[in-house]
Amino acid sequence: MGVAVDLQDAGASANPGPEKSGHESALHALADYLADDMLACNKAIVARMDSPVPLIPQLGAHLVAAGGKRLRPLLTLASARLCGYEPGPDAQRHVGLAACVEFIHTATLLHDDVVDESTLRRGLASANAVFGNKASVLVGDFLFARSFQLMTDDGSLKVMAILSNASATIAEGEVLQMATQNDLSTPIDRYLDVIHGKTAALFAAACRVGAVVAGRPEADELALETFGTNLGMAFQLVDDALDYAADQQTLGKTVGDDMREGKITLPVLAAFHAAKTEEERAFWSRVIESGEQTEADLPRALDLIAQTGAIEITLARAATYAEMAVAALASFPDSEIKRLLVETASYTVSRAR
């Protein structure tokens, strides 16, 4: 039984949307540059989502139709090209591994939405809202299994080590986030450990395997791993800022979800530590630690975050990580794909401005 979405639509979902001005066009340009590779990647994704169990391709079609930037597989494809990998009929390892990276990411999203009781994903109803929690968890497990099949198909123990280690780190990051939930005494370094695990680890692995398939020295692998790590840190910091600074349509999920779930993020920590009165500290303690919230609390939280400059603090740290990501590419010769990766780092921060 095939997935209920055609391959043309699947290929289109790799494109971040109509071309826009400024830094946001960078991601569009990267997707355009890698259009053939991404089309092949999306075909691989759709093919590997097929199953004789009808619910699996049905839920898979829902995920493909939801689109998304496909940033992680784009990073694998771009890193391979940066390292001189030349695709051909017998040189498609980068495509299979890009699909593998997307399966790992999508599996974690399915599980996260169940844990967080989310109802929106990429602006549409989340899979768990449509198909239920049980189906989302089990299809997430299926996608994890598919990702390991793709690793096995690639045949490289080094690739398997990189991606399996990243998968374990993602799980650790999610558990650590759960452990810090509702705890305003969480140190900022612990929060950074959380976002490194849940987001940056897969960015890093996605980039590093691009160098592996190109047969580059370990120094190049590590440079791309560093690029991916810092890009992922910047990306998640901006996501956390957007939860308190974006409209729902832009964010693609319900604004204020992090507060409702008692998640500890940098905007909250910055606002809490900058609180000027006992009333402000008591407010954060009630809504985050005790979880006692009313409809008036989100506007109050947004006001306090604005007053304390918590968004600016978060974005400044994200910009520092983006700069470190760009610096990690210094050893690679100038090229069009390098320029696009540099601009993608800038886009990561600019999407919140």
Side-chain angles (χ1 to χ4, degrees), residues 158-172:
K158 177 177 255 188
V159 164
M160 182 169 285
I162 292 168
L163 292 174
S164 61
N165 287 341
S167 298
T169 301
I170 293 167
E172 290 173 339

Side-chain angles (χ1 to χ4, degrees), residues 9-314:
D9 288 342
S13 70
N15 195 310
E19 188 166 3
K20 299 180 181 180
S21 60
H23 290 303
E24 190 164 353
S25 64
L27 194 58
H28 184 99
L30 183 64
D32 280 351
Y33 186 88
L34 298 168
D36 290 343
D37 287 348
M38 273 308 301
L39 180 60
C41 177
N42 276 294
K43 287 181 178 180
I45 289 169
V46 170
R48 291 290 184 145
M49 278 186 178
D50 197 12
S51 168
V53 180
L55 183 58
I56 292 174
Q58 287 168 11
L59 198 149
H62 177 82
L63 296 172
V64 171
K69 296 177 177 65
R70 296 278 199 271
L71 178 54
R72 292 156 187 83
L74 275 171
L75 290 174
T76 296
L77 300 172
S79 296
R81 290 296 193 96
L82 180 69
C83 289
Y85 187 77
E86 291 295 336
D90 299 318
Q92 291 291 304
R93 289 180 66 193
H94 64 320
V95 170
L97 292 176
C100 175
V101 165
E102 182 66 7
F103 276 149
I104 293 171
H105 174 56
T106 304
T108 63
L109 293 186
L110 285 171
H111 291 165
D112 288 352
D113 284 346
V114 171
V115 171
D116 297 339
E117 299 180 350
S118 299
T119 58
L120 286 178
R121 170 65 64 182
R122 295 167 179 162
L124 299 176
S126 60
N128 54 302
V130 175
F131 297 93
N133 288 339
K134 292 179 181 179
S136 291
V137 169
L138 292 173
V139 174
D141 293 344
F142 172 84
L143 295 182
F144 262 130
R146 278 290 196 242
S147 75
F148 278 85
Q149 288 177 332
L150 284 162
M151 293 180 216
T152 303
D153 289 348
D154 181 73
S156 166
L157 285 177
K158 177 177 255 188
V159 164
M160 182 169 285
I162 292 168
L163 292 174
S164 61
N165 287 341
S167 298
T169 301
I170 293 167
E172 290 173 339
E174 294 294 346
V175 173
L176 185 58
Q177 178 171 261
M178 184 177 67
T180 62
Q181 197 163 322
N182 307 108
D183 185 2
L184 287 168
S185 69
T186 300
I188 289 177
D189 284 348
R190 179 56 62 91
Y191 158 75
L192 294 175
D193 288 341
V194 169
I195 66 173
H196 174 269
K198 63 180 279 188
T199 300
L202 187 56
F203 274 68
C207 292
R208 184 169 183 174
V209 296
V212 174
V213 300
R216 295 295 286 262
E218 187 174 24
D220 289 344
E221 290 179 30
L222 295 177
L224 279 166
E225 182 178 68
T226 299
F227 170 76
T229 296
N230 287 299
L231 184 66
M233 295 295 287
F235 186 90
Q236 188 59 54
L237 280 160
V238 172
D239 258 16
D240 290 349
L242 284 171
D243 200 72
Y244 292 94
D247 62 72
Q248 185 165 305
Q249 183 176 2
T250 299
L251 189 59
K253 63 178 184 178
T254 308
V255 173
D257 269 353
D258 287 352
M259 188 185 86
R260 280 183 282 270
E261 295 160 14
K263 285 183 180 177
I264 300 301
T265 61
L266 188 53
V268 167
L269 289 176
F272 176 68
H273 290 304
K276 297 180 175 64
T277 67
E278 186 58 38
E279 182 276 330
E280 291 179 7
R281 285 186 287 273
F283 167 83
W284 288 115
S285 179
R286 175 174 61 81
V287 299
I288 297 296
E289 294 194 321
S290 299
E292 299 173 2
Q293 299 180 14
T294 69
E295 290 185 4
D297 287 333
L298 180 58
R300 173 65 170 152
L302 297 179
D303 184 54
L304 289 175
I305 283 174
Q307 288 180 28
T308 56
I311 296 300
E312 289 73 16
I313 290 169
T314 302

